[in-house]
């Protein structure tokens, strides 16, 4: 398969994994599970679980040239990796639900659909975000059931909590919210980008590496690679907010300007922002080349970040 065909197939497989772990919509509390599932099923690139599985395959081995999985390796992937793939996408979705709230970015459109608070109300959107944040760990713990390495699974759960919480995504969002409408220097902007966007990409790839058997130095290299990818992704997002359209993105454009947010583009200008994306992507690809395994598809994913239009 060529990279485009692999992306289509792997995205479909990832979508199926995520949906398999969604909560049932029943009981007196079914409104919140409906809101949770509505938000996850709205779609997206599924980059975080995609990166997790592909980094896992760097170290554990992936499909053969004909695309067929080794049954033993695929079985272990299902036991160890799939619960974490679903979990990280749940956490990402919870952050988007809360980002869109009137008290945050006040957005009414996400992925071409009404945002969760518009569809279900402010109160239920808050609860849906909370529900996904906790259900993510209820999902991740399923990896313990068939694992012969419970300490490794526990380590990955700890990393997921750390990179999602005050030392990661939520910490970055906190500084972003506090400084909204205020001037931000380069150091604080870098902090926001590394934590708010980069942290979940970092933990996705790190979990893939750890579950795949990477050693300490390799996990550190993967973390650095993911940090570069996360920063490039966020800067490209800033560029698209200025240069794209609502129809292309499936969400409002010029929202950073509306919310008076300092971005890489507003701080450095459009051309320097584009240069930074290319440089960060090149750094990530250089680190990737130092790692074992078949790099072709991961290189394609990273390249896709710097050329995407939505």
């Amino acid at each position: 398969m060529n990279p485009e065909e692999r992306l289509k197939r792997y995205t479909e497989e990832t979508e199926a994994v995520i949906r398999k772990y969604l909560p049932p919509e029943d009981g007196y509390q079914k409104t919140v599970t409906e809101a949770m599932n509505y938000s996850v099923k709205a779609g997206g690139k599924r980059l975080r679980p995609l990166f997790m599985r592909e980094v896992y395959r760097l170290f554990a081995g992936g499909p053969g040239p004909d695309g067929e999985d080794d049954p033993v390796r695929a079985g272990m992937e299902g036991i160890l990796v799939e619960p974490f793939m679903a979990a990280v996408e749940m956490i990402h979705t919870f952050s988007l639900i809360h980002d869109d709230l009137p008290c945050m970015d006040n957005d009414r459109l996400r992925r071409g659909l009404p945002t969760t608070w518009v569809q279900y109300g402010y109160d239920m959107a808050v609860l849906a975000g909370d529900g996904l944040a906790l259900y993510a760990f209820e999902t991740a713990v399923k990896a313990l059931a068939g694992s012969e390495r419970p300490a490794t699974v526990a380590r990955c759960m700890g990393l997921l909590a750390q990179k999602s919480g005050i030392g990661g995504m939520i910490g970055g969002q906190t500084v972003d919210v506090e400084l909204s409408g205020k001037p931000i220097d380069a150091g604080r902007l870098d902090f926001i980008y590394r934590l708010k966007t980069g942290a979940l990409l970092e933990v996705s790839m790190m979990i893939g590496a750890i579950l795949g058997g990477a050693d300490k130095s390799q996990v550190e290299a993967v973390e650095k690679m993911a940090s570069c990818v996360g920063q490039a992704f966020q800067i490209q997002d800033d560029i698209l907010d200025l240069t794209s359209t609502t129809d292309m993105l499936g969400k409002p454009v010029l929202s950073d300007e509306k919310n008076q947010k300092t971005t890489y583009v507003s701080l450095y200008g459009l051309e320097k922002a584009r240069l930074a994306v290319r440089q960060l992507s090149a750094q990530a690809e250089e680190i990737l080349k130092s790692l074992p395994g078949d790099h072709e598809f991961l290189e394609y994913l990273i390249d896709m970040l710097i050329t995407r239009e939505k």
Side-chain angles (χ1 to χ4, degrees), residues 5-309:
E5 291 170 336
R6 288 175 75 177
L7 177 61
K8 183 177 185 297
R9 173 176 165 178
Y10 292 173
T11 302
E12 290 171 353
E13 290 173 357
T14 301
E15 187 70 34
V17 167
I18 292 164
R19 290 182 179 235
K20 181 171 73 173
Y21 286 98
L22 290 177
E25 297 177 6
D26 54 24
Y28 289 124
Q29 78 276 34
K30 70 177 182 178
T31 303
V32 76
T33 53
E34 287 174 3
M36 290 161 65
N37 293 347
Y38 168 85
S39 307
V40 176
K41 289 178 180 178
K45 300 174 186 67
R46 309 306 193 197
L47 284 174
R48 290 151 192 84
L50 268 173
F51 272 119
M52 182 186 292
R53 192 176 76 165
E54 291 310 305
V55 172
Y56 170 82
R57 287 176 170 181
L58 280 184
F59 297 97
D66 59 357
E68 293 301 316
D69 282 339
D70 171 74
V72 176
R73 187 210 53 77
M76 287 307 299
E77 187 177 287
I79 292 168
L80 285 175
V81 186
E82 288 187 359
F84 280 102
M85 290 170 64
V88 78
E89 193 67 14
M90 289 174 189
I91 289 174
H92 173 55
T93 304
F94 120 68
S95 75
L96 299 181
I97 293 173
H98 284 185
D99 264 356
D100 291 335
L101 290 172
C103 64
M104 301 280 273
D105 289 346
N106 194 26
D107 282 330
R108 304 182 66 88
L109 195 68
R110 169 75 65 178
R111 294 165 178 162
L113 296 171
T115 50
T116 309
W117 74 268
V118 172
Q119 187 75 9
Y120 285 92
Y122 196 145
D123 50 1
M124 204 54 60
V126 172
L127 291 171
D130 294 345
L132 281 171
L134 293 169
Y135 200 72
F137 289 93
E138 189 174 335
T139 301
V141 80
K142 296 179 189 298
L144 284 171
S147 172
E148 296 178 355
R149 299 181 289 160
T152 301
V153 173
R155 177 187 174 193
C156 290
M157 291 182 68
L159 273 174
L160 185 59
Q162 176 192 337
K163 293 284 190 178
S164 303
I166 56 173
M169 181 186 70
I170 289 176
Q173 287 178 315
T174 299
V175 178
D176 190 28
V177 169
E178 285 183 334
L179 296 179
S180 183
K182 301 174 184 176
I184 301 177
D185 58 47
R188 284 184 174 84
L189 187 65
D190 180 65
F191 176 89
I192 292 168
Y193 283 15
R194 282 190 297 108
L195 272 67
K196 182 178 178 181
T197 302
L200 278 193
L201 278 166
E202 288 171 15
V203 79
S204 298
M205 296 194 213
M206 290 171 74
I207 288 173
I210 292 166
L211 294 178
D215 63 30
K216 182 180 178 183
S217 65
Q218 289 171 329
V219 173
E220 289 172 354
V222 166
E223 183 176 21
K224 175 62 177 173
M225 176 179 72
S227 177
C228 292
V229 171
Q231 286 179 281
F233 184 84
Q234 183 57 57
I235 296 169
Q236 182 68 6
D237 210 50
D238 294 345
I239 293 168
L240 292 175
D241 186 69
L242 186 66
T243 62
S244 190
T245 65
T246 297
D247 288 341
M248 283 288 291
L249 292 182
K251 64 180 181 179
V253 295
L254 302 176
S255 60
D256 293 329
E257 184 179 299
K258 179 191 74 175
N259 293 314
Q260 298 181 303
K261 284 189 174 181
T262 299
T263 68
Y264 205 95
V265 175
S266 66
L267 202 59
Y268 296 106
L270 195 56
E271 289 311 308
K272 284 190 176 180
R274 286 174 170 151
L275 176 61
V277 171
R278 292 195 295 270
Q279 290 174 334
L280 286 162
S281 300
Q283 289 177 44
E285 289 179 357
E286 192 64 29
I287 295 170
L288 178 59
K289 289 173 184 175
S290 72
L291 299 174
D294 177 9
H295 305 140
E296 180 187 12
F297 185 62
L298 273 170
E299 288 178 17
Y300 172 76
L301 278 181
I302 293 171
D303 285 339
M304 190 180 68
L305 295 181
I306 68 172
T307 58
R308 67 189 174 97
E309 296 181 356

